[in-house]
Amino acid sequence: MSVRSTLRAFPTLLRVGVSEAVAYRAEMFIWVLSTTMPFIMMALWTAVARAAPVGRYSGDDFIRYFLAAFVVRQMTGAWAAWQINYEVRQGTLAMRLLRPISPLWSYAAENLGSFPMRLFVVVPVAAFSVYKLGWGSVPQTLWGWVFFFLSLFAGWLITFLANVAIGTMSLFMESSTKLMDVWIALFFVCSGYLYPVELFPPAFRAALDWLPFRYQIGLPVELMTNTHDFHKALALLGRQWLWVALMLTISLGLWKRGLKRFAAYGG
């Protein structure tokens, strides 16, 4: 199917994705509950900051940061790795391959289709942050809003494309779930999900600037909480989109090579 035909079909795929998210809303609710780690870290770090600020972070700063981290986590989540791994092992990927559109578009639409459901959780948390801590909890300039939404979309793209790359590895080995476990462990440590990246020692923080994990969570959170000036934000946003391009190249390359190894049999 041509790119033009795919783009015309994508809104329909999105509507299907929204319908699936509504149909499986209980499962979605459980997934949201499994991503409440920022609330636990918020309690821990505000307790630590009660005696004295940690770096530039006071107790209120930690509350603002981790509420933003929860919001960003909801809007950048993806689960394509587990879908691909399961469908490869069960052989059901063959049914997707019979359709006149790449399965990658279907996975993307199913992930994006859950966004309206996630907004029911995200909007009240963001509104509470503004009510409790003021307008510093959201971007305060027009460029800040533009950069934030660009970084949020790029964060989701990096997460989704990493899922595709790792899920596709199941076409080369028995299962890729262990690889995903390693990726998630690195994500927890390096992304800013459990603590702000700037609290790391300078040498380690400089290394994180060149890894993809920070751009999944940390950068969108920093832009949402007005951490950077225009030039610093622009430089970090450029690195984030370079990671998007790199992850796109890697995931599509693996996908094309992996499909040549795929075989499914009826029964």
Side-chain angles (χ1 to χ4, degrees), residues 93 104 164-165 168-173 249-263:
L93 179 62
L104 299 184
V164 169
T168 303
M169 290 302 295
S170 61
L171 291 163
F172 298 90
M173 56 182 69
T249 303
I250 293 172
S251 59
L252 289 182
L254 286 173
W255 177 256
K256 290 179 180 177
R257 291 178 66 87
L259 284 185
K260 296 177 182 177
R261 303 168 60 91
F262 178 68

Side-chain angles (χ1 to χ4, degrees), residues 145-203:
W145 279 106
V146 173
F147 282 13
F148 168 65
F149 283 118
L150 283 174
S151 71
L152 197 63
F153 183 51
W156 176 80
L157 280 173
I158 292 173
T159 305
F160 174 73
L161 293 171
N163 269 255
V164 169
I166 294 172
T168 303
M169 290 302 295
S170 61
L171 291 163
F172 298 90
M173 56 182 69
E174 185 177 350
S175 172
S176 63
T177 54
K178 295 300 180 185
L179 283 178
M180 196 63 202
D181 290 344
V182 173
W183 176 274
I184 290 177
L186 292 171
F187 164 80
F188 281 158
V189 174
C190 303
S191 68
Y193 185 54
L194 301 182
Y195 24 77
V197 171
E198 64 183 274
L199 296 184
F200 281 102

